[in-house]
Amino acid sequence: MSELTLIIIRIGFLALLWLFIFIVLYSLRSDLFGPRLTPLQRVAVQSARSRESGAAPAPAAAGADAPTTVTERQGASSASAQATRVVITSGPRSGLELDLPQTGLTIGRSSGSGLQIKDDYTSSNHAKIVRWREQWVVQDLGSTNGTFVEGKRISESTPVQVGSSVRIGTTTFELRR
Amino acid sequence: MSDQTAPSPQAQNALQTGIVQLRDVTEAIRVRIRNPAKLRNLELFLLVIAWVLAGGAMVLVQLGALQRVDLFPLQLAAGLGVLTLALHIVLRIVAREADAIILPVATVLNGLGIAMIYRIDIADGLSGWDAASMRQIAWTGIALLVAIAAIVVVRNHRVLARYRYVAMAIAFILLLLPLMPGIGRTVNGATVWIGVGPLSFQPGELAKIALAIFFAGYLMTARDSLSVVGRKVLGVRFPRLRDLGPILVVWAMCMLVLVFQRDLGTSVLYFGLFLVMIYIATGRRSWMVIGVGLVAVGGVAAYFSLGYVQRRVHAWIHAFDPAVYEAQGGSFQIVQGVFGMGHGGLLGTGLGLGRPDITPYANSDYIIPSLGEELGLTGIVAILGLYLILVSRGVRIGFQGPDDFTKLLGVGLAFVIGLQVFIVVGGVTRLIPLTGLTTPFLAAGGSSLLANWLIVALLLRLSDSVRGRGIV
């Protein structure tokens, strides 16, 4: 094998090594820029969103009379219905983001809670966020130290807007889109 | 709206859960069909390039050093390729959402390491089981099998949190094993080996994984008392004296390793691991202040009382002093390594064409200068880039982890690899004093390979549990 071929193979090897690294970095680009959607996916996401806001009142409607639900659906569409995430804004786990499942989220000290808060002020089943009539609603589950929405202790199910703060113990969180 | 109260939680729940569960199930099915193992396909694609790189390195070594292609070592390496493929297939079955980058990157590093060890064997005229490369290939096989077993057996890594004190006990036993008379062995002054017959093993390598599990489990429960209470001095909140207990115990343990096993690198590694994990758990700078202070105290004390630490520092600062260069245990090795890398230049001499074998331990502690000589700066930066990717994936997995244990374990395991690379590469390039640690995946040594592939297995398992959160 000639000298020249060997040099070319050597440099080719280094080039391949770097190519490997760049392929890895390219495949990690969504870490930096967020996932890119193809046009088809974008349509799917949009239709899923509109379907969600249309289908969601169904469980609530089963409990109450239908006509009011229909009128309310139009009025409340700008409310917290689109919230999909819970972001902890202060407290020991500040900065944590969770997905808000359509089923709602239980909050408490017990390990079965959707959002587990471990401090001395939180009861094991403290509160619950549920979807009711196009809105996310916080219910206090008889906690010892209470649940506060916008600084006021709640005694019954209270609707939460996107961006308004909910405090439990030393932890404050809000709903985000 | 305001005059209506919500239906009773129970009734509403029963209805909602039923419907939503149904929706979840159909959604899950749809996602599975629409997204058929995209991550795994990417992994397979990268793995194919990794095989080409590992095999190509070996062929280049043979062309450079032997001027011909010898098929036998290539066949053995191909066997390892099959094992990595097996690991990939196992991931397809039991951890579909695991990170796609880690396995190919580890494969490239491991392959480059084997090629370089093989190259040193050729220069030293070793073959058969005398050759470190044969042993390395065998150990890689064992390590891959253990990694596959770990991924299959540990389906939920959170179970590990329950065994945190067991992990601690295992770590202590592993650390103390080399000091036991009969099985402990002292190699080059460091008592970190155990040996039974011809087999030898460094239990400290596995101890670091057990320690990471213990720290993650312990800090998960103790983080609140460690982070919230304490008094403020100069604007930095310091913890209560009784909360200092664990950090002092770990520090004392590392000092014991330093004094009795005479192993500087390992003690720095363990202490650094603990410091980083406690910082991540509490977010308090005071822990770093305390930790760095303890390291400084320990370092100064070790420098004045332990001869081998003093020699290391001298060989580092006065490396090019002829007296130090020629002294027993002086800077000959460091300087040879630096010369080797200088000889390599930008593009390297080419695999199999340099003289890396002049440096003592060219295939283990000094494998980075060996690779630097033959692949040049271009190659060594690529290798450091691979490590960077590996560590950043681990940190990323920790960052996305849904609970404290996952977060701490992910970052801790990644940090072990990162700190080890820093200590080794910093040592051979004369950034810091040289300490004997293994270069992850590259250096010859079975215990290190086993431990690092176990770390890979754990990181893959962790990344599977943070599924569907937009990795790639």
Side-chain angles (χ1 to χ4, degrees):
Chain A
M1 184 169 287
S2 77
E3 191 95 338
L4 184 68
T5 340
L6 203 55
I7 290 175
I8 291 172
I9 299 178
R10 255 173 52 197
I11 298 195
F13 178 77
L14 286 175
L16 186 62
L17 195 56
W18 277 100
L19 184 71
F20 177 77
I21 289 178
F22 283 120
I23 293 173
V24 168
L25 292 181
Y26 180 71
S27 58
L28 290 177
R29 70 196 180 282
S30 67
D31 260 14
L32 295 173
F33 307 115
R36 212 183 64 200
L37 298 179
T38 62
L40 195 68
Q41 279 174 319
R42 207 170 291 142
V43 170
V45 168
Q46 269 161 7
S47 69
R49 264 193 202 140
S50 58
R51 187 153 25 93
E52 248 169 39
S53 51
D65 45 341
T68 38
T69 321
V70 172
T71 50
E72 266 178 11
R73 184 192 307 166
Q74 284 145 2
S77 62
S78 67
S80 62
Q82 291 116 347
T84 54
R85 288 176 304 144
V86 172
V87 180
I88 297 185
T89 50
S90 74
R93 298 179 74 178
S94 169
L96 181 79
E97 274 191 43
L98 327 159
D99 289 332
L100 181 56
Q102 289 297 312
T103 14
L105 189 69
T106 53
I107 304 166
R109 198 155 50 158
S110 78
S111 56
S113 306
L115 168 58
Q116 198 184 1
I117 301 178
K118 281 188 188 164
D119 62 23
D120 296 341
Y121 311 102
T122 310
S123 307
S124 40
N125 292 306
H126 195 110
K128 197 160 75 165
I129 306 178
V130 289
R131 224 185 140 92
W132 183 66
R133 305 227 173 145
E134 283 297 297
Q135 290 225 3
W136 288 105
V137 174
V138 175
Q139 295 176 330
D140 190 280
L141 303 175
S143 67
T144 317
N145 292 300
T147 305
F148 298 81
V149 176
E150 291 290 4
K152 270 188 231 137
R153 184 164 179 164
I154 60 169
S155 50
E156 56 182 17
S157 305
T158 309
V160 204
Q161 307 302 322
V162 169
S164 63
S165 70
V166 180
R167 185 168 68 78
I168 287 170
T170 54
T171 301
T172 313
F173 61 86
E174 53 188 60
L175 304 188
R176 299 253 174 99
R177 257 169 245 262
Chain B
M1 174 103 227
S2 55
D3 58 341
Q4 287 181 345
T5 48
S8 78
Q10 287 83 6
Q12 179 197 348
N13 253 3
L15 265 171
Q16 254 192 0
T17 19
I19 291 166
V20 172
Q21 263 172 7
L22 199 66
R23 198 196 301 158
D24 276 357
V25 169
T26 50
E27 206 118 283
I29 293 169
R30 205 185 313 145
V31 165
R32 234 182 142 90
I33 292 168
R34 197 194 293 156
N35 195 5
K38 203 171 119 209
L39 284 170
R40 298 275 73 82
N41 292 342
L42 172 67
E43 181 176 78
L44 185 60
F45 172 62
L46 291 173
L47 206 51
V48 170
I49 306 181
W51 293 332
V52 173
L53 278 169
M58 218 146 181
V59 171
L60 273 172
V61 161
Q62 293 179 342
L63 288 177
L66 299 171
Q67 281 85 40
R68 64 184 163 80
V69 176
D70 183 0
L71 277 181
F72 179 63
L74 287 174
Q75 284 162 350
L76 291 180
L80 295 182
V82 171
L83 276 178
T84 53
L85 181 66
L87 180 52
H88 166 77
I89 292 170
V90 166
L91 287 179
R92 271 187 191 265
I93 299 166
V94 299
R96 294 166 51 90
E97 307 285 332
D99 191 279
I101 312 292
I102 293 175
L103 173 62
V105 168
T107 306
V108 172
L109 287 170
N110 204 158
L112 283 178
I114 291 174
M116 183 42 75
I117 295 163
Y118 176 53
R119 190 255 167 281
I120 307 284
D121 284 340
I122 293 175
D124 293 346
L126 297 171
S127 62
W129 285 112
D130 289 336
S133 55
M134 291 300 125
R135 293 199 299 271
Q136 184 82 346
I137 288 173
W139 272 112
T140 307
I142 294 170
L144 281 167
L145 288 175
V146 169
I148 290 172
I151 287 180
V152 172
V153 172
V154 184
R155 287 302 177 89
N156 180 2
H157 64 274
R158 288 184 200 89
V159 174
L160 295 174
R162 258 183 256 157
Y163 297 106
R164 53 184 177 271
Y165 292 108
V166 177
M168 180 190 71
I170 290 173
F172 271 97
I173 291 170
L174 286 173
L175 272 181
L176 294 179
L177 270 182
L179 293 176
M180 295 245 296
I183 56 170
R185 278 190 193 169
T186 306
V187 181
N188 305 319
T191 316
V192 292
W193 296 83
I194 55 169
V196 182
L199 293 171
S200 59
F201 199 79
Q202 258 182 306
E205 289 285 344
L206 289 178
K208 68 189 183 190
I209 299 178
L211 274 180
I213 292 171
F214 163 63
F215 290 158
Y218 165 74
L219 290 171
M220 175 184 71
T221 51
R223 55 173 295 187
D224 284 346
S225 63
L226 291 177
S227 65
V228 176
V229 284
R231 85 168 67 82
K232 257 188 167 174
V233 180
L234 295 172
V236 181
R237 193 180 294 278
F238 280 91
R240 287 179 303 192
L241 208 55
R242 60 177 158 155
D243 291 330
L244 277 174
I247 195 171
L248 290 176
V249 168
V250 174
W251 181 73
M253 185 187 80
C254 293
M255 292 315 278
L256 285 178
V257 170
L258 188 65
V259 174
F260 289 107
Q261 304 192 342
R262 299 164 58 81
D263 189 4
L264 190 63
T266 309
S267 61
V268 171
L269 179 68
Y270 292 161
F271 196 68
L273 171 66
F274 183 67
L275 212 54
V276 162
M277 288 181 80
I278 203 170
Y279 176 63
I280 294 163
T282 61
R284 294 229 164 271
R285 261 169 250 130
S286 61
W287 286 112
M288 296 305 259
V289 174
I290 294 169
V292 172
L294 284 173
V295 167
V297 170
V300 170
Y303 177 77
F304 284 111
S305 58
L306 297 171
Y308 80 96
V309 176
Q310 213 162 22
R311 275 200 300 280
R312 290 278 170 86
V313 173
H314 275 287
W316 167 52
I317 296 176
H318 308 292
F320 289 97
D321 184 338
V324 180
Y325 178 77
E326 279 169 21
Q328 185 70 31
S331 64
F332 173 76
Q333 192 186 23
I334 295 184
V335 171
Q336 280 307 317
V338 173
F339 284 165
M341 285 187 279
H343 182 215
L346 202 58
L347 289 177
T349 57
L351 282 169
L353 297 168
R355 296 293 312 277
D357 51 294
I358 298 174
T359 317
Y361 295 99
N363 63 6
S364 53
D365 290 7
Y366 266 69
I367 197 155
I368 286 283
S370 303
L371 285 162
E373 179 171 352
E374 304 214 320
L375 292 175
L377 184 69
T378 320
I380 217 74
V381 174
I383 288 169
L384 292 180
L386 291 175
Y387 280 124
L388 185 62
I389 289 169
L390 198 59
V391 173
S392 70
R393 289 322 287 163
V395 173
R396 180 84 181 145
I397 291 164
F399 184 69
Q400 289 177 315
D403 56 283
D404 292 349
F405 183 72
T406 311
K407 279 177 191 295
L408 286 165
L409 190 59
V411 178
L413 291 175
F415 184 76
V416 165
I417 295 179
L419 185 61
Q420 224 170 318
V421 172
F422 172 76
I423 291 175
V424 173
V425 178
V428 298
T429 52
R430 288 189 63 228
L431 183 71
I432 53 172
L434 183 69
T435 52
L437 270 183
T438 55
T439 325
F441 297 108
L442 287 176
S447 9
S448 163
L449 269 181
L450 192 62
N452 287 309
W453 276 106
L454 259 179
I455 289 179
V456 163
L458 281 175
L459 283 178
L460 287 170
R461 176 48 76 205
L462 255 59
S463 63
D464 184 49
S465 75
V466 296
R467 69 184 62 207
R469 292 212 182 183
I471 313 172
V472 179

